[in-house]
Amino acid sequence: MPAAPAPIELHYWPTPNGWKVSIMLEECGLPYTVIPVNISKGDQFKPEFLAIAPNNRIPAIVDPDGPDGWPISVFESGAILQYLGRKTGKFYPADARARVEVEQWLYWQVGGLGPMAGQAHHFRIYAPEKIDYAINRYTNEVARLYGVMNKRLADREFLAGDYSIADIACVGWAKLWERQGQDITRFPHFKRWLDAVKARPAVQRGLAVLVEERK
């Protein structure tokens, strides 16, 4: 019998960006081990983590079985989702037209939803000084982005038609809509999508990784 594949190392902390990769690994059924990177204690600045993630941001992975049979490390959550999608052939279609659909919404999340929701979290919850302009700016921008999703999802089940890495990228941010100051009743198609994605067993498992350690 062939040897079981060596587990992927997931360098991770339970945040919306970290969840993207833990969910993807669970959805693909890939074996993995978790290397905690406690960002509240500064683990992201340790030399061993910077060696694979030079931007000192989680998540990152090390795959012992890279494309040429040699280990490969990957940082940036969107790049990791694409890598794992190519590796497994799951949730990232091979057809060029379908792949463009997925990539549009993946990059929309990486360049828009994630940064704007993250800024909303910061200024609404963590900033030492409450700055109304910043709070309103980012809360309103998240509302606009949820409106874009809501319109997109009015006539399809998932963002790119079939469930894909685009949905996986968005769900961790979307589930924190209350922290972003949003009224989810304004976005019924968004809410239907969010409930459907959160109900997936692999999503639930991915969201649970290291949750107790974070507490």
Side-chain angles (χ1 to χ4, degrees):
M1 294 178 61
I8 289 172
E9 288 183 7
L10 170 60
H11 297 255
Y12 163 95
W13 198 242
T15 70
N17 285 329
W19 289 327
K20 297 177 193 178
V21 182
S22 58
I23 290 171
M24 182 63 170
L25 289 165
E26 290 288 346
E27 288 280 18
C28 294
L30 288 168
Y32 67 99
T33 57
V34 179
I35 312 297
V37 182
N38 189 332
I39 60 176
S40 66
K41 295 182 178 179
D43 289 354
Q44 68 273 31
F45 299 107
K46 291 181 176 179
E48 57 268 32
F49 182 67
L50 291 173
I52 60 171
N55 195 38
N56 61 268
R57 295 289 187 272
I58 61 98
I61 64 168
V62 178
D63 183 1
D65 181 25
D68 51 6
W70 293 90
I72 187 171
S73 62
V74 190
F75 73 102
E76 287 296 324
S77 58
I80 298 170
L81 290 176
Q82 289 179 294
Y83 172 79
L84 294 175
R86 290 190 298 267
K87 178 181 178 73
T88 63
K90 296 180 178 180
F91 313 112
Y92 190 32
D95 174 77
R97 189 172 295 274
R99 181 165 283 193
V100 167
E101 284 290 288
V102 171
E103 289 172 342
Q104 290 180 127
W105 290 97
L106 174 65
Y107 298 153
W108 176 86
Q109 187 283 315
V110 170
L113 178 61
M116 296 301 102
Q119 293 293 345
H121 289 181
H122 176 78
F123 285 105
R124 292 178 63 86
I125 300 170
Y126 300 113
E129 178 185 355
K130 296 302 181 186
I131 304 171
D132 288 341
Y133 174 79
I135 291 170
N136 292 333
R137 171 181 170 81
Y138 292 112
T139 301
N140 291 338
E141 179 61 7
V142 173
R144 185 190 73 80
L145 292 166
Y146 283 174
V148 172
M149 283 183 76
N150 192 63
K151 183 177 180 180
R152 173 69 175 179
L153 293 163
D155 61 354
R156 69 203 76 214
E157 187 175 6
F158 299 108
L159 287 167
D162 294 330
Y163 181 69
S164 73
I165 58 174
D167 304 287
I168 292 170
C170 290
V171 66
W173 289 104
K175 84 181 193 73
L176 300 176
W177 55 270
E178 290 179 283
R179 299 181 71 184
Q180 298 150 18
Q182 302 304 313
D183 176 4
I184 200 171
T185 64
R186 294 177 54 199
F187 312 110
H189 307 299
F190 167 91
K191 182 180 184 302
R192 186 268 312 155
W193 165 87
L194 179 60
D195 290 344
V197 176
K198 286 173 59 181
R200 295 176 67 91
V203 172
Q204 295 173 11
R205 292 193 302 271
L207 292 172
V209 175
L210 290 192
V211 165
E212 291 304 314
E213 287 80 352
R214 182 181 62 188
K215 291 179 181 177

